Amino acid sequence: MLEKLIERANVVIEALPYLLKFKDKIIVIKYGGAAMENSDLKEEVIRDVVFLKMVGMHPVLVHGGGPEINRFLKKKGIEPKFIGGYRVTDVETMKVVVKVLGEKINGQIVSMIKKAGGQSKGFYGKKGEVIKAFKYWKKDAEGNKLDLGYTGQVGGIKYRYLLKWIHMGYIPVLSSIGVGKGGEQYNINADKAAAAIAAYLKAEKMIMMTDVRGVLDPTGKLISEVNTYRADKMIKAGSLSGGMIPKVKSCLYAVRKGVNTAHIIDGRVRHALLLELFTDHGIGTMVKK
Ligand SMILES: Nc1ncnc2c1ncn2[C@@H]1O[C@H](COP(=O)(O)OP(=O)(O)OP(=O)(O)O)[C@@H](O)[C@H]1O
Ligand SMILES: [Mg+2]
């Protein structure tokens, strides 16, 4: 019996080097819609996040909600549309985005954090207005501008305001909704929003939790580490598709802007966050400069 307890104490003390390394560091976590589908897992992820805060790190959550937005759209008879991994957001779709991300998922995560014993503050579009945005014009292969409607691009982050909440002990939870100069709201790819937030906050790490093991090579094998040069090559070679394109691009952006490492991990694995932060090898794909 005592042996078992000592073993447990050993496991706890093994975290000490990592706790020292990451103390007071900001960790931006993108919690993908795709990895949020299982509600038991969701509760565990939230508890892990509260744990990180309680042991001295500063987690910041940015959430997506793609699958749920798609379900809502389909109920309204609207077919979701994507170009190169980016959602085409018309007026009706934007209403659904605000409803699902801002009103539903954001509030749910904030209350789950509170239930798990943490303090949390939700920021979603007009409420809090942390993400400044403008219209995103995507270019096709020939350089022609493509109109994605209310799909936006980050223009700036009110990071001092966020830092104030962080240092007051709160875990910020942000929906990827930005606000334009005229007060109009934009739907921003959550990976891109997370990367901008990580860059502005000078985060130590950005961790993207998704529904695949990480970046897979064309044979389906996990790539455990990739530098900016190789990642750029993969994008150009077309070995990424769908949501993985903005995800890898966002990792590249973050590390180029000074975030130490960016990680794409499997949010379906229990305690994926803790495994990533408290072991040497980590899981998933690490993007480094
Ligand atoms: N080379 C690749 N390696 C891994 N996944 C890939 C690759 N190419 C495309 N994908 C796809 O990218 C998907 C992950 O991106 P997706 O945008 O769907 O999820 P998410 O970003 O976690 O959720 P949300 O967009 O709702 O926030 C994977 O489920 C996979 O189908
Ligand atoms: Mg995505």
Side-chain angles (χ1 to χ4, degrees):
M1 181 63 189
L2 185 61
E3 283 299 307
K4 268 202 170 149
L5 291 174
I6 292 171
E7 196 43 50
R8 275 174 77 174
N10 266 333
V11 171
V12 175
I13 204 72
E14 269 170 24
L16 182 61
Y18 303 100
L19 294 178
L20 292 169
K21 191 169 155 194
F22 299 130
K23 185 174 184 290
D24 291 331
K25 296 278 184 346
I26 293 175
I27 314 283
V28 172
I29 300 158
K30 151 71 197 314
Y31 193 22
M36 287 177 1
E37 293 288 273
N38 177 325
S39 57
D40 289 344
L41 250 179
K42 207 161 147 186
E43 234 167 77
E44 273 192 5
V45 171
I46 299 301
R47 265 196 290 153
D48 288 353
V49 171
V50 172
F51 177 83
L52 298 181
K53 184 77 181 179
M54 295 306 147
V55 295
M57 298 176 202
H58 296 304
V60 173
L61 266 187
V62 182
H63 67 85
E68 190 136 8
I69 292 170
N70 291 347
R71 278 198 292 272
F72 254 77
L73 286 174
K74 281 184 183 151
K75 256 197 263 168
K76 289 186 134 198
I78 305 169
E79 197 50 45
K81 247 180 91 183
F82 291 88
I83 299 180
Y86 294 90
R87 188 184 294 282
V88 180
T89 318
D90 59 16
V91 181
E92 280 309 307
T93 304
M94 191 62 217
K95 281 186 195 157
V96 172
V97 168
V98 170
K99 206 180 170 101
V100 174
L101 293 187
E103 290 163 27
K104 193 169 170 218
I105 300 181
N106 192 285
Q108 254 175 15
I109 296 179
V110 168
S111 44
M112 284 170 89
I113 291 175
K114 289 180 180 165
K115 205 176 134 209
Q119 284 180 290
S120 180
K121 164 93 180 141
F123 301 91
Y124 45 102
K126 288 189 175 168
K127 288 276 170 71
E129 280 192 37
V130 170
I131 306 175
K132 291 186 251 178
F134 56 92
K135 187 176 165 81
Y136 175 50
W137 289 99
K138 193 173 162 47
K139 288 201 178 125
D140 67 10
E142 282 86 45
N144 302 313
K145 278 180 166 182
L146 302 172
D147 192 344
L148 306 183
Y150 286 95
T151 295
Q153 170 169 350
V154 179
I157 301 291
K158 292 186 181 168
Y159 65 97
R160 288 192 194 91
Y161 179 55
L162 260 187
L163 282 171
K164 206 179 85 186
W165 284 96
I166 292 171
H167 293 303
M168 283 195 305
Y170 286 78
I171 300 171
V173 177
L174 295 108
S175 299
S176 52
I177 298 171
V179 183
K181 281 213 170 88
E184 72 282 18
Q185 288 178 300
Y186 287 101
N187 171 33
I188 296 172
N189 177 278
D191 299 339
K192 280 196 154 184
I197 289 163
Y200 273 89
L201 290 176
K202 299 191 176 18
E204 170 73 18
K205 276 179 191 287
M206 174 175 74
I207 304 177
M208 309 264 196
M209 303 183 75
T210 184
D211 68 341
V212 272
R213 285 177 296 144
V215 183
L216 308 175
D217 74 9
T219 68
K221 213 175 127 245
L222 175 73
I223 300 171
S224 49
E225 201 177 317
V226 64
N227 59 20
T228 49
Y229 174 75
R230 186 166 167 217
D232 269 333
K233 263 178 75 173
M234 284 187 79
I235 294 170
K236 288 199 185 99
S239 35
L240 306 176
S241 59
M244 200 42 78
I245 299 171
K247 205 176 296 302
V248 171
K249 280 190 176 168
S250 302
C251 289
L252 290 175
Y253 173 87
V255 297
R256 284 185 172 130
K257 286 281 182 185
V259 175
N260 215 358
T261 50
H263 305 255
I264 297 171
I265 65 169
D266 194 342
R268 300 165 307 175
V269 172
R270 293 185 59 200
H271 301 303
L273 268 178
L274 304 186
L275 292 173
E276 187 57 56
L277 285 161
F278 296 111
T279 59
D280 273 344
H281 290 291
I283 56 169
T285 303
M286 175 164 81
V287 183
K288 260 185 134 168
K289 210 171 171 196

